[in-house]
Amino acid sequence: MTSDLLAPLDLAFWNIESERHPMHLGALGIFTADSPGAARRAAELLAARSGSVPGLRLRIRDALLPFGGAVRAPAADFDAAHHVQLACVARDFQAAAGALMERPLDRTRPPWEAHVLPGADDTSFAVLFKFHHALADGLRALTLAAGLMDPLPDPPSRARKAPPEPAQPPERTGLRLPA
């Protein structure tokens, strides 16, 4: 993966950020599981998947040219443990997410975080994704989060003419299509 020059708007988001005015966006998903310990398993799964999503391995660094520019470049020292965190038990997911959104992202690493917030009942949990706007706008952030949450299978080979046969025949429902 090569370096990618930041567009002027992304560069502006990167440069105008301050501790009191972070320039990241977030998304909060709330989940319910059938068994206890789901939050820990979710955090482990997100950490394991994060290394295979190329956009999440990019950090932002200054560029020599153009003067004052910056690039998205691969982080050779990427470590998922710096980005995926299992938080303390949260009684109010929105309040906990709000407190986490107030904190700026670490600008020396790829600028994103995923916080897994266990619920008090040990079966519900929430996942807060934070992405710096210079790394991803709203749609790209959702695409990156989807890469962690629900990775797509490899696309089928173009040489394949017919779809693969199902593992077992579909269940008969007794419904008939009109002729």
Side-chain angles (χ1 to χ4, degrees), residues 2-7 9-15 17 23-24 54-63 68-78 83 105-112 131-137 140 144:
T2 61
S3 297
D4 174 31
L5 190 64
L6 263 63
L9 183 58
D10 295 334
L11 183 61
F13 283 128
W14 187 250
N15 287 330
E17 180 177 56
M23 296 310 242
H24 54 257
L56 297 178
R57 299 177 67 90
L58 298 175
R59 64 178 293 265
I60 298 177
R61 62 175 178 77
D62 292 336
V71 295
R72 291 179 199 93
D77 59 347
F78 177 79
H83 301 278
L105 293 162
D106 183 347
R107 292 171 62 102
T108 65
R109 296 188 170 116
W112 69 274
F131 296 97
H132 196 286
H133 213 300
L135 177 68
D137 62 8
R140 184 155 192 250
L144 291 171

Side-chain angles (χ1 to χ4, degrees), residues 31-120:
F31 304 91
T32 305
D34 293 336
S35 61
R40 178 170 303 284
R41 290 191 306 278
E44 291 168 356
L45 183 62
L46 292 174
R49 288 182 176 174
S50 67
S52 64
V53 180
L56 297 178
R57 299 177 67 90
L58 298 175
R59 64 178 293 265
I60 298 177
R61 62 175 178 77
D62 292 336
L64 188 56
L65 292 173
F67 182 73
V71 295
R72 291 179 199 93
D77 59 347
F78 177 79
D79 183 355
H82 294 295
H83 301 278
V84 180
Q85 301 291 320
L86 182 62
C88 296
V89 171
R91 299 203 181 284
D92 180 346
F93 291 135
Q94 288 83 4
L100 290 167
M101 287 298 292
E102 291 176 358
R103 298 187 337 212
L105 293 162
D106 183 347
R107 292 171 62 102
T108 65
R109 296 188 170 116
W112 69 274
E113 295 174 351
H115 297 273
V116 181
L117 310 165

